[in-house]
Amino acid sequence: MFKRIRGGAYRALLNKSGIFDNRADDALPQTVIRDICAAHFEKGGEKRRRVLLYGFDGARADSMFYLLQGGDESITGYNFKSPYSAVTLIKERGTLVLTYAGGCKSDSSTLQETSTAQGWAAILTGKWGKENGVQKHVTKLGSAPTILLELAEKGQGALFASSWQDHFTVTYKDEIKYAEERSLPLEFRQVKDEVELQQASLEAIDRGDAMIFSINEFADHNGHSTGFGPDNYRYVAGITNADRYAFELIRHIESRPEFKDEDWLYIITSDHGGHQRRHGTQDEQDRMTFAAISKALPR
């Protein structure tokens, strides 16, 4: 039912689409997301710096074809700019780049599963599992704190919100305990669904958290149940609906009177891709991800 695209052909398709600001051979490791967020907080200025990091769990790199107008209609279809797309808005202000999960192929010691725990841990710590401990589905090492914890230890509020239980009972359980014992302003909130996720995100925005990290499961859920990729309309719907949820958060942020005194960085990214009804391998459809970043990257 689902077409298997070999690695070289898949990478060529991503390049040919014309929607990314880099090429597959120049894809950035997903670990750079943490450093981009940290650099935003380290900049000076009078405005208060804040970050919305919104995760599309299980979103392949080519899922961006469903949202953006590309240079080849045979790839991205007949499409124009949507006034309700978070990815479109973010790319217009900054960039949309190809990233990769699963470690660096040039250093086999960094290779890890292209799976949820490993992907988000790499993004939040800026380190592959070789250093943060999450090469497999295990608890993260305390020696590799998330950027959320780093902010909280400086007295800045942060939120981690997701519906997946294992984030709270496995990967980050020690970090949760550490933050609770020290009464740090870091909230790990397990939500029931994306409606609760949206509410938790809005609450964190309004109470002034410096960083909000929320994971939307639409794409991953539909991928596992019915298939990852453009051949499955349910998967496509998961991406487009997640994009609209993120847009609503940005619209709320910018409608607030406080916005004029704030400097926001918006990032939408993915932990891994997928093929058929699975992921976790070094297949390019599992490895290739993306990052929409609302500020231009330093050259």
Side-chain angles (χ1 to χ4, degrees):
M1 177 180 177
F2 301 108
K3 292 183 291 186
R4 183 72 175 269
I5 307 175
R6 295 298 174 185
Y10 183 63
R11 292 164 71 91
L13 186 69
L14 297 175
N15 291 337
K16 190 178 179 183
S17 71
I19 65 173
F20 300 102
D21 294 326
N22 60 346
R23 296 178 63 80
D25 289 345
D26 302 316
L28 303 174
Q30 61 186 178
T31 52
V32 303
I33 301 298
R34 180 263 170 209
D35 295 336
I36 292 168
C37 294
H40 177 71
F41 286 112
E42 290 165 4
K43 289 180 180 178
E46 295 181 358
K47 292 190 175 184
R48 183 168 179 240
R49 296 187 179 272
R50 302 181 70 183
V51 170
L52 173 65
L53 176 58
Y54 197 83
F56 287 8
D57 201 290
R60 295 159 45 119
D62 66 351
S63 68
M64 296 297 95
F65 297 176
Y66 321 150
L67 304 176
L68 296 164
Q69 181 182 17
D72 188 331
E73 188 176 314
S74 68
I75 297 175
T76 56
Y78 181 63
N79 193 16
F80 288 88
K81 183 183 77 172
S82 168
Y84 307 108
S85 166
V87 169
T88 299
L89 181 152
I90 290 171
K91 184 187 178 185
E92 285 190 332
R93 297 182 183 182
T95 188
L96 175 66
V97 293
L98 289 164
T99 53
Y100 63 85
C104 298
K105 287 187 175 180
S106 60
D107 181 357
S108 61
S109 70
T110 67
L111 295 181
Q112 58 189 47
E113 288 185 10
T114 49
S115 294
T116 294
Q118 293 88 336
W120 293 128
I123 287 167
L124 291 177
T125 66
K127 303 177 186 298
W128 296 118
K130 174 185 177 181
E131 296 181 82
N132 67 34
V134 193
Q135 279 186 307
K136 297 183 179 180
H137 189 44
V138 296
T139 303
K140 182 183 67 61
L141 295 174
S143 56
T146 66
I147 186 171
L148 303 170
L149 178 58
E150 291 177 328
L151 289 168
E153 289 193 305
K154 296 175 183 177
Q156 300 190 67
L159 171 72
F160 181 123
S162 172
S163 62
W164 194 45
Q165 179 177 327
D166 289 19
H167 287 310
F168 309 95
T169 59
V170 181
T171 312
Y172 302 101
K173 67 175 185 179
D174 288 351
E175 185 156 304
I176 293 170
K177 181 180 179 182
Y178 177 92
E180 288 177 345
E181 288 176 346
R182 289 157 180 79
S183 299
L184 298 177
L186 171 56
E187 179 183 9
F188 281 84
R189 187 188 300 191
Q190 184 179 358
V191 298
K192 180 179 67 176
D193 53 29
E194 275 63 29
V195 173
E196 284 192 8
L197 181 77
Q198 196 77 346
Q199 186 58 42
S201 303
L202 290 168
E203 290 172 5
I205 291 165
D206 288 344
R207 74 172 171 242
D209 283 6
M211 185 165 177
I212 296 98
F213 173 53
S214 302
I215 305 173
N216 187 301
E217 300 285 347
F218 287 158
D220 194 62
H221 181 89
N222 288 347
H224 281 299
S225 60
T226 54
F228 290 85
D231 297 320
N232 178 16
Y233 70 86
R234 300 171 187 85
Y235 183 74
V236 174
I239 297 292
T240 56
N241 286 335
D243 181 53
R244 183 59 184 268
Y245 271 59
F247 178 81
E248 292 292 343
L249 292 179
I250 295 173
R251 182 160 65 178
H252 177 76
I253 287 169
E254 299 189 355
S255 69
R256 298 157 43 255
E258 296 88 351
F259 180 68
K260 68 181 185 302
D261 299 316
E262 298 170 336
D263 183 359
W264 280 86
L265 172 66
Y266 308 131
I267 299 178
I268 296 177
T269 193
S270 176
D271 52 344
H272 57 76
H275 67 281
Q276 297 176 337
R277 297 188 184 184
R278 60 183 293 239
H279 53 77
T281 76
Q282 291 294 317
D283 186 299
E284 294 296 338
Q285 292 174 96
D286 291 1
R287 281 180 58 85
M288 296 302 296
T289 51
F290 66 91
I293 304 165
S294 66
K295 295 180 181 291
L297 297 180
R299 295 187 181 279

